[in-house]
Amino acid sequence: MNIRDIINKSDQFINKLETPNGFKLFIRSEVSPYARCFVIFNKNLTKQFDWLEKRKQQLIYDLNSDLYSFFLEKVRKKIDWLFDKSFLQLFCFTLSSLNILSGQLDKKNLDLLNKILEIDIKKSLKKKNVHKGVSMSGNYSMFIAIFNIYADNYLKIDRSKQIQDWLNFNLESLNSNGFWGNKSRMDYLQFQNGYHQYEIFEYLDFEKASWDIAANNSALMSDRFGHFAPWPGGGACYDYDAIFMLTSKFVKDNGQENLLKKTLNSIINNQNFDGGFCESKFMKNNLWPRTLSIIKHILYQPKHIKIWSLFINLNLLRNKHRYIITYWTNTNRKWDESNAWDTFFRLSTVYRICNRLDLTEKNLFKINSFPGIG
């Protein structure tokens, strides 16, 4: 296991995503403002500081320019940008990227942030059904926390009351599984959606959350290869979210070491030939190999999620799911196609495991000390 070689190969892939007009999410895609952020995340994580320094001023300018252009697009389409996931996500990714580059928001984007800060924390969290744990509510909860923490820590605008309101709302609505929602049985949605609030809990050094309960329940979602997605081969987000829970400094040792090693080996062995990482190498478009992989995956799934996994995978066999569709690019990507997002998350998972197991390879990575993702 040579993690240094894995990093070097992944960086060679990331380099191929740079074009004179911007950055691609994957080789076949057009340039994307999201992809620029993901490339910056990768470069910082793998300590490519000279690369970042060389492009620093242009990146800071482009980050601000693309963010405001996206805002204008939302206004033109009459979309409520204050609650739009795609805009708020790009805004948060932009803040993370600017922190890496020691950059700042320009005046126009700072004005947008001030409008976001006018949102009532409790009312907005309730409006998005964060307490009910509905899909994507965890993302919104994380976004609104990031904006307030950024204003408090970086702009020196006192947001201590709003941050405490955020903590109280999320803490008071925790369920018996350590996440959010009314379901008593653990499922994929709870940890994959609820991970986002724990990202903020960890940044704020907030120990009062149900760390150990949430981590133990996340471990129950593992398949035989140490992946945590409903489908075979895992998923960059699903695997990272679960590993984040299992490796937090607030989580006690509960026998997760063997599971972490299993996940580490699986991720390392799934690096693509081009050096990048994908969502899942076992979900290729070839129908029969894909179907056989799904059948094997379901047979070895833990009993409490077999049926859930079956329904999800039956849906994924439909023709419309042959590609992964996101708003990050107009071109849809293949399940086994290397891209900047999955590469960043896979390498971040490797770091979290190395750090928890106190492996020397943890020193090969640089973490962005900033709330949220990136």
mmCIF file with all atom_site columns, all heavy atoms in Angstrom, residues 257-272:
data_model
loop_
_atom_site.group_PDB
_atom_site.id
_atom_site.type_symbol
_atom_site.label_atom_id
_atom_site.label_alt_id
_atom_site.label_comp_id
_atom_site.label_asym_id
_atom_site.label_entity_id
_atom_site.label_seq_id
_atom_site.pdbx_PDB_ins_code
_atom_site.Cartn_x
_atom_site.Cartn_y
_atom_site.Cartn_z
_atom_site.occupancy
_atom_site.B_iso_or_equiv
_atom_site.pdbx_formal_charge
_atom_site.auth_seq_id
_atom_site.auth_comp_id
_atom_site.auth_asym_id
_atom_site.auth_atom_id
_atom_site.pdbx_PDB_model_num
ATOM 1   N N   . GLU A 1 257 ? -11.644 -0.433 14.078  1.00 0.00 ? 257 GLU A N   1
ATOM 2   C CA  . GLU A 1 257 ? -10.344 -0.447 13.404  1.00 0.00 ? 257 GLU A CA  1
ATOM 3   C C   . GLU A 1 257 ? -10.322 -1.389 12.200  1.00 0.00 ? 257 GLU A C   1
ATOM 4   O O   . GLU A 1 257 ? -9.845  -1.022 11.120  1.00 0.00 ? 257 GLU A O   1
ATOM 5   C CB  . GLU A 1 257 ? -9.239  -0.846 14.385  1.00 0.00 ? 257 GLU A CB  1
ATOM 6   C CG  . GLU A 1 257 ? -7.850  -0.839 13.754  1.00 0.00 ? 257 GLU A CG  1
ATOM 7   C CD  . GLU A 1 257 ? -6.745  -1.132 14.762  1.00 0.00 ? 257 GLU A CD  1
ATOM 8   O OE1 . GLU A 1 257 ? -6.997  -1.006 15.981  1.00 0.00 ? 257 GLU A OE1 1
ATOM 9   O OE2 . GLU A 1 257 ? -5.647  -1.487 14.321  1.00 0.00 ? 257 GLU A OE2 1
ATOM 10  N N   . ASN A 1 258 ? -10.836 -2.605 12.354  1.00 0.00 ? 258 ASN A N   1
ATOM 11  C CA  . ASN A 1 258 ? -10.828 -3.562 11.242  1.00 0.00 ? 258 ASN A CA  1
ATOM 12  C C   . ASN A 1 258 ? -11.697 -3.080 10.084  1.00 0.00 ? 258 ASN A C   1
ATOM 13  O O   . ASN A 1 258 ? -11.343 -3.268 8.913   1.00 0.00 ? 258 ASN A O   1
ATOM 14  C CB  . ASN A 1 258 ? -11.304 -4.940 11.715  1.00 0.00 ? 258 ASN A CB  1
ATOM 15  C CG  . ASN A 1 258 ? -10.274 -5.631 12.600  1.00 0.00 ? 258 ASN A CG  1
ATOM 16  O OD1 . ASN A 1 258 ? -9.076  -5.348 12.503  1.00 0.00 ? 258 ASN A OD1 1
ATOM 17  N ND2 . ASN A 1 258 ? -10.725 -6.517 13.466  1.00 0.00 ? 258 ASN A ND2 1
ATOM 18  N N   . LEU A 1 259 ? -12.808 -2.463 10.413  1.00 0.00 ? 259 LEU A N   1
ATOM 19  C CA  . LEU A 1 259 ? -13.688 -1.921 9.379   1.00 0.00 ? 259 LEU A CA  1
ATOM 20  C C   . LEU A 1 259 ? -12.984 -0.801 8.626   1.00 0.00 ? 259 LEU A C   1
ATOM 21  O O   . LEU A 1 259 ? -13.065 -0.710 7.394   1.00 0.00 ? 259 LEU A O   1
ATOM 22  C CB  . LEU A 1 259 ? -14.997 -1.419 9.992   1.00 0.00 ? 259 LEU A CB  1
ATOM 23  C CG  . LEU A 1 259 ? -16.000 -0.732 9.057   1.00 0.00 ? 259 LEU A CG  1
ATOM 24  C CD1 . LEU A 1 259 ? -16.347 -1.639 7.885   1.00 0.00 ? 259 LEU A CD1 1
ATOM 25  C CD2 . LEU A 1 259 ? -17.261 -0.336 9.826   1.00 0.00 ? 259 LEU A CD2 1
ATOM 26  N N   . LEU A 1 260 ? -12.281 0.066  9.337   1.00 0.00 ? 260 LEU A N   1
ATOM 27  C CA  . LEU A 1 260 ? -11.562 1.166  8.695   1.00 0.00 ? 260 LEU A CA  1
ATOM 28  C C   . LEU A 1 260 ? -10.479 0.638  7.753   1.00 0.00 ? 260 LEU A C   1
ATOM 29  O O   . LEU A 1 260 ? -10.296 1.162  6.647   1.00 0.00 ? 260 LEU A O   1
ATOM 30  C CB  . LEU A 1 260 ? -10.933 2.077  9.755   1.00 0.00 ? 260 LEU A CB  1
ATOM 31  C CG  . LEU A 1 260 ? -11.896 2.833  10.674  1.00 0.00 ? 260 LEU A CG  1
ATOM 32  C CD1 . LEU A 1 260 ? -11.123 3.655  11.690  1.00 0.00 ? 260 LEU A CD1 1
ATOM 33  C CD2 . LEU A 1 260 ? -12.845 3.715  9.877   1.00 0.00 ? 260 LEU A CD2 1
ATOM 34  N N   . LYS A 1 261 ? -9.772  -0.391 8.180   1.00 0.00 ? 261 LYS A N   1
ATOM 35  C CA  . LYS A 1 261 ? -8.738  -0.980 7.326   1.00 0.00 ? 261 LYS A CA  1
ATOM 36  C C   . LYS A 1 261 ? -9.346  -1.600 6.073   1.00 0.00 ? 261 LYS A C   1
ATOM 37  O O   . LYS A 1 261 ? -8.772  -1.510 4.979   1.00 0.00 ? 261 LYS A O   1
ATOM 38  C CB  . LYS A 1 261 ? -7.954  -2.031 8.114   1.00 0.00 ? 261 LYS A CB  1
ATOM 39  C CG  . LYS A 1 261 ? -7.060  -1.454 9.205   1.00 0.00 ? 261 LYS A CG  1
ATOM 40  C CD  . LYS A 1 261 ? -6.335  -2.555 9.966   1.00 0.00 ? 261 LYS A CD  1
ATOM 41  C CE  . LYS A 1 261 ? -5.425  -1.970 11.043  1.00 0.00 ? 261 LYS A CE  1
ATOM 42  N NZ  . LYS A 1 261 ? -4.753  -3.044 11.827  1.00 0.00 ? 261 LYS A NZ  1
ATOM 43  N N   . LYS A 1 262 ? -10.493 -2.222 6.234   1.00 0.00 ? 262 LYS A N   1
ATOM 44  C CA  . LYS A 1 262 ? -11.188 -2.827 5.093   1.00 0.00 ? 262 LYS A CA  1
ATOM 45  C C   . LYS A 1 262 ? -11.602 -1.747 4.086   1.00 0.00 ? 262 LYS A C   1
ATOM 46  O O   . LYS A 1 262 ? -11.416 -1.912 2.873   1.00 0.00 ? 262 LYS A O   1
ATOM 47  C CB  . LYS A 1 262 ? -12.424 -3.588 5.594   1.00 0.00 ? 262 LYS A CB  1
ATOM 48  C CG  . LYS A 1 262 ? -13.121 -4.423 4.525   1.00 0.00 ? 262 LYS A CG  1
ATOM 49  C CD  . LYS A 1 262 ? -14.432 -4.982 5.041   1.00 0.00 ? 262 LYS A CD  1
ATOM 50  C CE  . LYS A 1 262 ? -14.240 -5.938 6.194   1.00 0.00 ? 262 LYS A CE  1
ATOM 51  N NZ  . LYS A 1 262 ? -15.532 -6.541 6.616   1.00 0.00 ? 262 LYS A NZ  1
ATOM 52  N N   . THR A 1 263 ? -12.149 -0.647 4.591   1.00 0.00 ? 263 THR A N   1
ATOM 53  C CA  . THR A 1 263 ? -12.550 0.456  3.718   1.00 0.00 ? 263 THR A CA  1
ATOM 54  C C   . THR A 1 263 ? -11.340 1.051  3.009   1.00 0.00 ? 263 THR A C   1
ATOM 55  O O   . THR A 1 263 ? -11.384 1.326  1.801   1.00 0.00 ? 263 THR A O   1
ATOM 56  C CB  . THR A 1 263 ? -13.262 1.555  4.527   1.00 0.00 ? 263 THR A CB  1
ATOM 57  O OG1 . THR A 1 263 ? -14.365 0.999  5.238   1.00 0.00 ? 263 THR A OG1 1
ATOM 58  C CG2 . THR A 1 263 ? -13.746 2.672  3.620   1.00 0.00 ? 263 THR A CG2 1
ATOM 59  N N   . LEU A 1 264 ? -10.256 1.231  3.740   1.00 0.00 ? 264 LEU A N   1
ATOM 60  C CA  . LEU A 1 264 ? -9.032  1.797  3.166   1.00 0.00 ? 264 LEU A CA  1
ATOM 61  C C   . LEU A 1 264 ? -8.526  0.942  2.011   1.00 0.00 ? 264 LEU A C   1
ATOM 62  O O   . LEU A 1 264 ? -8.215  1.461  0.928   1.00 0.00 ? 264 LEU A O   1
ATOM 63  C CB  . LEU A 1 264 ? -7.960  1.926  4.257   1.00 0.00 ? 264 LEU A CB  1
ATOM 64  C CG  . LEU A 1 264 ? -6.615  2.511  3.826   1.00 0.00 ? 264 LEU A CG  1
ATOM 65  C CD1 . LEU A 1 264 ? -6.781  3.931  3.291   1.00 0.00 ? 264 LEU A CD1 1
ATOM 66  C CD2 . LEU A 1 264 ? -5.632  2.506  5.004   1.00 0.00 ? 264 LEU A CD2 1
ATOM 67  N N   . ASN A 1 265 ? -8.472  -0.358 2.220   1.00 0.00 ? 265 ASN A N   1
ATOM 68  C CA  . ASN A 1 265 ? -7.987  -1.254 1.170   1.00 0.00 ? 265 ASN A CA  1
ATOM 69  C C   . ASN A 1 265 ? -8.905  -1.245 -0.047  1.00 0.00 ? 265 ASN A C   1
ATOM 70  O O   . ASN A 1 265 ? -8.441  -1.278 -1.193  1.00 0.00 ? 265 ASN A O   1
ATOM 71  C CB  . ASN A 1 265 ? -7.849  -2.684 1.714   1.00 0.00 ? 265 ASN A CB  1
ATOM 72  C CG  . ASN A 1 265 ? -6.668  -2.834 2.652   1.00 0.00 ? 265 ASN A CG  1
ATOM 73  O OD1 . ASN A 1 265 ? -5.657  -2.159 2.491   1.00 0.00 ? 265 ASN A OD1 1
ATOM 74  N ND2 . ASN A 1 265 ? -6.794  -3.701 3.644   1.00 0.00 ? 265 ASN A ND2 1
ATOM 75  N N   . SER A 1 266 ? -10.201 -1.201 0.203   1.00 0.00 ? 266 SER A N   1
ATOM 76  C CA  . SER A 1 266 ? -11.152 -1.193 -0.909  1.00 0.00 ? 266 SER A CA  1
ATOM 77  C C   . SER A 1 266 ? -11.008 0.059  -1.758  1.00 0.00 ? 266 SER A C   1
ATOM 78  O O   . SER A 1 266 ? -11.019 0.002  -2.995  1.00 0.00 ? 266 SER A O   1
ATOM 79  C CB  . SER A 1 266 ? -12.590 -1.286 -0.377  1.00 0.00 ? 266 SER A CB  1
ATOM 80  O OG  . SER A 1 266 ? -12.841 -2.546 0.201   1.00 0.00 ? 266 SER A OG  1
ATOM 81  N N   . ILE A 1 267 ? -10.854 1.207  -1.113  1.00 0.00 ? 267 ILE A N   1
ATOM 82  C CA  . ILE A 1 267 ? -10.714 2.460  -1.850  1.00 0.00 ? 267 ILE A CA  1
ATOM 83  C C   . ILE A 1 267 ? -9.420  2.471  -2.661  1.00 0.00 ? 267 ILE A C   1
ATOM 84  O O   . ILE A 1 267 ? -9.413  2.840  -3.844  1.00 0.00 ? 267 ILE A O   1
ATOM 85  C CB  . ILE A 1 267 ? -10.762 3.660  -0.883  1.00 0.00 ? 267 ILE A CB  1
ATOM 86  C CG1 . ILE A 1 267 ? -12.173 3.817  -0.308  1.00 0.00 ? 267 ILE A CG1 1
ATOM 87  C CG2 . ILE A 1 267 ? -10.326 4.947  -1.594  1.00 0.00 ? 267 ILE A CG2 1
ATOM 88  C CD1 . ILE A 1 267 ? -12.286 4.887  0.739   1.00 0.00 ? 267 ILE A CD1 1
ATOM 89  N N   . ILE A 1 268 ? -8.340  2.058  -2.038  1.00 0.00 ? 268 ILE A N   1
ATOM 90  C CA  . ILE A 1 268 ? -7.046  2.036  -2.725  1.00 0.00 ? 268 ILE A CA  1
ATOM 91  C C   . ILE A 1 268 ? -7.088  1.129  -3.952  1.00 0.00 ? 268 ILE A C   1
ATOM 92  O O   . ILE A 1 268 ? -6.556  1.462  -5.014  1.00 0.00 ? 268 ILE A O   1
ATOM 93  C CB  . ILE A 1 268 ? -5.940  1.585  -1.743  1.00 0.00 ? 268 ILE A CB  1
ATOM 94  C CG1 . ILE A 1 268 ? -5.669  2.709  -0.737  1.00 0.00 ? 268 ILE A CG1 1
ATOM 95  C CG2 . ILE A 1 268 ? -4.667  1.217  -2.500  1.00 0.00 ? 268 ILE A CG2 1
ATOM 96  C CD1 . ILE A 1 268 ? -4.767  2.316  0.392   1.00 0.00 ? 268 ILE A CD1 1
ATOM 97  N N   . ASN A 1 269 ? -7.742  -0.008 -3.821  1.00 0.00 ? 269 ASN A N   1
ATOM 98  C CA  . ASN A 1 269 ? -7.823  -0.959 -4.936  1.00 0.00 ? 269 ASN A CA  1
ATOM 99  C C   . ASN A 1 269 ? -8.780  -0.514 -6.035  1.00 0.00 ? 269 ASN A C   1
ATOM 100 O O   . ASN A 1 269 ? -8.794  -1.110 -7.124  1.00 0.00 ? 269 ASN A O   1
ATOM 101 C CB  . ASN A 1 269 ? -8.260  -2.333 -4.412  1.00 0.00 ? 269 ASN A CB  1
ATOM 102 C CG  . ASN A 1 269 ? -7.180  -2.995 -3.573  1.00 0.00 ? 269 ASN A CG  1
ATOM 103 O OD1 . ASN A 1 269 ? -5.994  -2.780 -3.801  1.00 0.00 ? 269 ASN A OD1 1
ATOM 104 N ND2 . ASN A 1 269 ? -7.579  -3.785 -2.584  1.00 0.00 ? 269 ASN A ND2 1
ATOM 105 N N   . ASN A 1 270 ? -9.573  0.515  -5.772  1.00 0.00 ? 270 ASN A N   1
ATOM 106 C CA  . ASN A 1 270 ? -10.551 0.973  -6.759  1.00 0.00 ? 270 ASN A CA  1
ATOM 107 C C   . ASN A 1 270 ? -10.120 2.225  -7.500  1.00 0.00 ? 270 ASN A C   1
ATOM 108 O O   . ASN A 1 270 ? -10.915 2.825  -8.225  1.00 0.00 ? 270 ASN A O   1
ATOM 109 C CB  . ASN A 1 270 ? -11.912 1.224  -6.084  1.00 0.00 ? 270 ASN A CB  1
ATOM 110 C CG  . ASN A 1 270 ? -12.647 -0.068 -5.784  1.00 0.00 ? 270 ASN A CG  1
ATOM 111 O OD1 . ASN A 1 270 ? -12.395 -1.094 -6.403  1.00 0.00 ? 270 ASN A OD1 1
ATOM 112 N ND2 . ASN A 1 270 ? -13.557 -0.021 -4.824  1.00 0.00 ? 270 ASN A ND2 1
ATOM 113 N N   . GLN A 1 271 ? -8.849  2.609  -7.344  1.00 0.00 ? 271 GLN A N   1
ATOM 114 C CA  . GLN A 1 271 ? -8.359  3.746  -8.125  1.00 0.00 ? 271 GLN A CA  1
ATOM 115 C C   . GLN A 1 271 ? -8.347  3.369  -9.607  1.00 0.00 ? 271 GLN A C   1
ATOM 116 O O   . GLN A 1 271 ? -7.894  2.293  -9.983  1.00 0.00 ? 271 GLN A O   1
ATOM 117 C CB  . GLN A 1 271 ? -6.955  4.146  -7.681  1.00 0.00 ? 271 GLN A CB  1
ATOM 118 C CG  . GLN A 1 271 ? -6.438  5.422  -8.345  1.00 0.00 ? 271 GLN A CG  1
ATOM 119 C CD  . GLN A 1 271 ? -5.098  5.871  -7.767  1.00 0.00 ? 271 GLN A CD  1
ATOM 120 O OE1 . GLN A 1 271 ? -4.311  5.058  -7.282  1.00 0.00 ? 271 GLN A OE1 1
ATOM 121 N NE2 . GLN A 1 271 ? -4.839  7.170  -7.813  1.00 0.00 ? 271 GLN A NE2 1
ATOM 122 N N   . ASN A 1 272 ? -8.855  4.252  -10.429 1.00 0.00 ? 272 ASN A N   1
ATOM 123 C CA  . ASN A 1 272 ? -8.894  3.985  -11.867 1.00 0.00 ? 272 ASN A CA  1
ATOM 124 C C   . ASN A 1 272 ? -7.505  4.059  -12.487 1.00 0.00 ? 272 ASN A C   1
ATOM 125 O O   . ASN A 1 272 ? -6.579  4.651  -11.935 1.00 0.00 ? 272 ASN A O   1
ATOM 126 C CB  . ASN A 1 272 ? -9.826  4.974  -12.567 1.00 0.00 ? 272 ASN A CB  1
ATOM 127 C CG  . ASN A 1 272 ? -11.283 4.584  -12.450 1.00 0.00 ? 272 ASN A CG  1
ATOM 128 O OD1 . ASN A 1 272 ? -11.614 3.424  -12.204 1.00 0.00 ? 272 ASN A OD1 1
ATOM 129 N ND2 . ASN A 1 272 ? -12.176 5.548  -12.635 1.00 0.00 ? 272 ASN A ND2 1
#
